[in-house]
Every structure is written in C-alpha cells, then in structure tokens.
Amino acid sequence: MARDVVVVGSVNADLIVQVERHPHPGETLLGHTSSVLPGGKGANQAVAAARLGAEVALVAAVGDDVNAGIALAGLRDAGVDLDHVTAVDAPTGLAVVTLADDAENTIVVVPGANASVSPRLVDAAADLIAGARVCVVQAEIPLATVAHVARVAAAGGTRLLLNVAPAAELPTETVRAADPLVVNEHEAAILLGRRDREPADAAAELAALGVRSVVVTLGAGGVVGIEDGEAWSLPARRVDALDTTGAGDAFVGALAAGIADGLPVRQAAALATRVAAASVTRLGAQPSYPWQGDDLP
Ligand code: ADP
C-alpha cells in the first residue's frame, strides 16, 4: 500500500531519571522519579505525522531486547507501519536523561541498533520509498545511510525532507537533494561553517547551495524559510511552555504530513508551528503530540 510519508531514522528508549543534583563521579545518589519512554528522532517524527492522519511507514532497526517493545509502543499506538523495522543483534538505541531539579540536564545517547540502519536496509525499502509522497530522514543514523536515502528517494522520484539533526556535516549533493532542508539555528551554523548569520540570511545561504526549500526553526522565535527564492517567516504560537522536549520532531513530522497533503512548505510550516506549540504544553515527546481533530493553539 502506498504511503504518504516514509521515515528512515532512529528509534530509542528514553530512560529518564530525576535527581535533586547530578552525582559526582563515584557517588551514588537517590533519584526521586524514573520513567522509560519511547523516543528517537525518527520514531518521534513518524508518530507526529501519523497522529495527524498521515499514512506513515518507518525504516529503522531495534534490538532483540525489552527496550524494543518500549521504543516501538508509541509507533504501534499511532498506527505506523513497522514492516521495515528490523531486529538486529545490538541493544535498542538508548538515551539516558538525567533531569536535575536546579541544574542543566545531562543526556547520554547510545545509538546501539540505530548504527545498523545501513544503505542495504534502505535498498530493501526502495519500493516503499518510491511509492511515498515524502521521505523523511535525520542524522541519528549513520551519515553514509543519510546520503544513500537521498539517492534512493531521488531515484524513486520521491520528495526528500532532510532534517540535519543532530548537527552534522553532509555532502553538498545530499543537502541539495532536500526539499525542504529543515534545521534549527545551531544546525544551520554547522552546515554553513559559520555562526555569525541572522536566521533569514542563514536560510538564504543554505538555499544558495542549490536547495529548493529551506526551513530554519528558532524555538519560541518561530521559523524562517525560503521556497523557490521566496523568503517568509512565521512567529511561534504563544503558549505556556511546560516541556520543549521533542518540539523539533513534532514540527518535522507535521511538516512532512502537511507537504504529503499537498501544502506548499510555508503553509505546512504554519501547521507544524501549531502542532509543535501544542507539544510544548505537555510533558515528554511522543505523548505530547496532538491527534488529528485535537484543538491546536
Ligand atoms: P529543536 O528542538 O530542534 O531545537 P526548536 O527549538 O527550534 O527545535 O523548535 C521547533 C519549533 O517548535 C519552533 O519553530 C516552534 O514553532 C516550536 N516551539 C519550540 N519552542 C516553543 C515555545 N516555547 N513556544 C511555542 N512554540 C515553540
């Protein structure tokens, strides 16, 4: 069955512990809350798009372990097609997040099975990708695979939404294949190799690399973009932000759903801005994403 959106990306279990303060090396501390939640940028984006009503399939890898079930729960619940999620001989991707009451959070990410998302797995999904309206990929899988996804999408005539998150350097030909390229301010600076640009100028410079459409997200500052040489900007929706975890992924998933629905990038970004704003009013990443028909800010 043809899909609106195929996501190639990471799947993690997020182990979240809350402590009063971070432990010193060698110290044992009592925390006061713990939870294990589904995460990973690929999974988050797939869930965000599927909850909005898009037909979504995921190409990914998990381990043959207890965390796989946790990591896939949100995807199953949202009705994402998991036929191309492979079980490999490595632990499911894990993010260990320590939230301190009065300090910075620390996060350790162990890619595990996500490192096995190979060009071969992408080739095995070539027909699925060719049949989709939009193929979405991020940089939490090997970068050689990201570059391969761009080639496979192009060969299948499928539009590529490239989200270079976390920040990474990619071949110019991969970046050029994006339509749109989606980055936050920090990721834009890494791609351009310089930090001294205003967001609108960064978007224009990225477009000047030969990219048809670019979207730069600015947190509570909203979003700037450019499509076919025409620049635009949108404010963020004003909400009481409770937890911005996964806001960028909510934005990308909604953007993909909107584009798959035939919207121009700017209109899809307007939808994505509302979906991301809804997500920051609730705790967590996937559990905070709105469903089709929910009231949006
Ligand atoms: P990332 O999490 O990748 O750094 P951003 O922080 O730029 O991404 O957030 C992505 C989008 O989420 C923003 O463009 C904005 O639309 C929305 N967003 C993020 N933080 C807020 C906030 N505090 N209030 C309203 N919308 C927000």
Side-chain angles (χ1 to χ4, degrees), residues 66-167:
V66 66
N67 281 342
I70 294 163
L72 296 175
L75 290 154
R76 290 206 169 98
D77 186 48
V80 175
D81 169 2
L82 303 178
D83 284 357
H84 283 265
V85 175
T86 308
V88 299
D89 187 18
T92 298
L94 182 69
V96 180
V97 182
T98 308
L99 304 176
D101 287 351
D102 54 0
E104 295 273 329
N105 304 329
T106 61
I107 305 179
V108 177
V109 180
V110 186
N114 294 308
S116 304
V117 181
S118 61
R120 205 172 44 79
L121 277 192
V122 176
D123 284 338
D127 288 347
L128 182 73
I129 292 170
R133 292 179 192 275
V134 180
C135 178
V136 181
V137 66
Q138 330 72 29
E140 266 187 347
I141 55 173
L143 297 183
T145 306
V146 177
H148 194 66
V149 170
R151 287 190 290 269
V152 170
T158 300
R159 195 159 165 181
L160 179 75
L161 190 167
L162 171 63
N163 175 217
V164 191

Side-chain angles (χ1 to χ4, degrees), residues 41 163 165 183-187 215-224 234-242 244-252 269 272-280:
K41 289 180 186 297
N163 175 217
V183 286
N184 67 19
E185 268 183 294
H186 169 67
E187 293 148 4
V215 176
V216 180
T217 64
L218 311 169
V223 51
V224 295
L234 294 168
R237 309 296 287 194
R238 295 268 287 277
V239 291
D240 285 329
L242 186 66
T244 59
T245 310
D249 294 334
F251 184 94
V252 170
T273 298
R274 301 179 69 193
V275 169
S279 82
V280 307

